Amino acid sequence: FDSGDTDADGALDVDETWIYTGSYAITQDDIDAGQFTNQATVEGTAPDGTVVDDLSDPVSITSDDPTVTDICQDIDPDTAIAIIKVGVLNDEDGDGCSNVGETISYTFTVTNQTNVTLSNIVVTDLPIADLAFDSGDTDADGALDVDETWIYTGSYAITQDDIDAGQFTNQATAEGTAPDGTVVDDLSDPVSITSDDPTVTNICQDNLPNDSIAIIKVGVFNDEDGDGCSNVGETISYTFTVTNWSNVTLSNIVVTDVSIADLAFDSGDTDADGALDVDETWIYTGSYAITQDDIDAGQFT
């Protein structure tokens, strides 16, 4: 009771109005509903002992409708849910660089930025085949509560194309549904809940100019006339073995030897892509016709 019993007699006199006040602390369920509905009852006793009562109404003394108080729902589809995606490259074989099949481990942190409970949470990232919920639903209700953070994890096996690019770039999406049916979503960012930049994971390229490519050259003298010695015009047959020692694909392969007029690619491009793949070996062959000067020198270098 607040005020109204002007004569302080404890009786609600004719045409007298009494005021009562009270408060109610809203709950998350109320916010999710977007309103709080309730109704009061008043009761009194007339002089003849008759008990009189009434159900409350928000505006009219002749109606009995409950009081509905609207509650603000902070649901902006563009900012209601946030996802942060971080990637870490794993050097599984411990060689200090990247190899095909080694993995990037991803952590996805999903946060509810609204004041309502979000349901039907779905996180998608197409290259991540094993993406799965890890932790965060502390009350195990299957809903992303206000200020609750869920963690997802997944991994990606890098390809030769990724190593050749020197990085792997991709982006995840988080989606949820507000109590009023509004679908909210967000594109991932590596650091900020307010940005939508893809996650770029740098990949080591072991392509130092001095040791990325190797060539072995072997020469065999041919005694074409079978006389057991050398004669002008007889040949040295050469085999050139070219290997890619880096972890990136090498293109525009050129083997030169100014003395070998017929130097040519022989074999090794097994996938016929025109590129010297990692650990691929190409064979070139050529020949050289010795001169009198070479015979006089006793060797050809």
Side-chain angles (χ1 to χ4, degrees):
F1 177 78
D2 184 76
S3 63
D5 188 6
T6 53
D7 51 10
D9 62 353
L12 182 62
D13 300 329
V14 176
D15 294 329
E16 192 172 59
T17 298
W18 286 11
I19 305 295
Y20 290 74
T21 58
S23 64
Y24 169 77
I26 62 173
T27 67
Q28 188 60 54
D29 287 342
D30 301 328
I31 298 174
D32 290 346
Q35 60 183 26
F36 180 66
T37 301
N38 71 331
Q39 196 167 28
T41 302
V42 63
E43 181 179 287
T45 304
D48 65 357
T50 301
V51 175
V52 295
D53 59 38
D54 185 41
L55 287 172
S56 66
D57 187 274
V59 291
S60 171
I61 62 172
T62 59
S63 298
D64 293 328
D65 296 316
T67 298
V68 179
T69 305
D70 291 330
I71 298 174
C72 168
Q73 292 181 318
D74 181 18
I75 309 171
D76 183 341
D78 295 327
T79 61
I81 194 170
I83 179 169
I84 297 292
K85 173 183 175 182
V86 177
V88 177
L89 179 67
N90 304 303
D91 181 19
E92 274 102 347
D93 65 4
D95 67 355
C97 206
S98 308
N99 302 286
V100 172
E102 290 186 321
T103 59
I104 301 171
S105 294
Y106 288 103
T107 301
F108 308 79
T109 304
V110 181
T111 307
N112 181 351
Q113 301 293 312
T114 72
N115 70 336
V116 298
T117 303
L118 299 178
S119 60
N120 304 319
I121 305 303
V122 179
V123 176
T124 55
D125 192 325
L126 295 181
I128 313 299
D130 61 347
L131 193 154
F133 177 78
D134 183 74
S135 63
D137 188 8
T138 52
D139 52 8
D141 63 352
L144 184 61
D145 301 326
V146 176
D147 294 327
E148 193 171 58
T149 296
W150 285 10
I151 304 295
Y152 292 74
T153 57
S155 63
Y156 169 77
I158 63 174
T159 67
Q160 188 60 55
D161 286 342
D162 301 327
I163 297 174
D164 290 347
Q167 61 183 28
F168 180 66
T169 302
N170 71 327
Q171 195 167 28
T173 301
E175 183 179 283
T177 304
D180 66 357
T182 300
V183 175
V184 296
D185 58 38
D186 185 43
L187 286 171
S188 66
D189 187 273
V191 292
S192 172
I193 63 173
T194 59
S195 299
D196 294 328
D197 296 319
T199 297
V200 180
T201 305
N202 291 325
I203 298 175
C204 167
Q205 292 181 319
D206 180 19
N207 58 342
L208 296 177
N210 294 330
D211 56 14
S212 293
I213 194 170
I215 181 169
I216 299 294
K217 173 184 176 183
V218 177
V220 177
F221 172 71
N222 305 301
D223 182 17
E224 274 104 348
D225 64 4
D227 67 355
C229 204
S230 308
N231 301 285
V232 172
E234 289 184 321
T235 60
I236 302 171
S237 294
Y238 287 103
T239 301
F240 306 80
T241 303
V242 181
T243 306
N244 180 352
W245 289 102
S246 72
N247 72 337
V248 297
T249 303
L250 302 178
S251 60
N252 303 317
I253 306 303
V254 179
V255 176
T256 55
D257 191 321
V258 294
S259 302
I260 314 300
D262 60 347
L263 192 154
F265 176 78
D266 183 76
S267 64
D269 188 7
T270 52
D271 51 9
D273 63 353
L276 183 61
D277 301 325
V278 175
D279 295 328
E280 194 171 57
T281 296
W282 286 8
I283 305 297
Y284 291 75
T285 56
S287 62
Y288 171 75
I290 64 174
T291 67
Q292 188 61 53
D293 287 342
D294 301 328
I295 297 173
D296 292 346
Q299 63 181 22
F300 177 65
T301 302

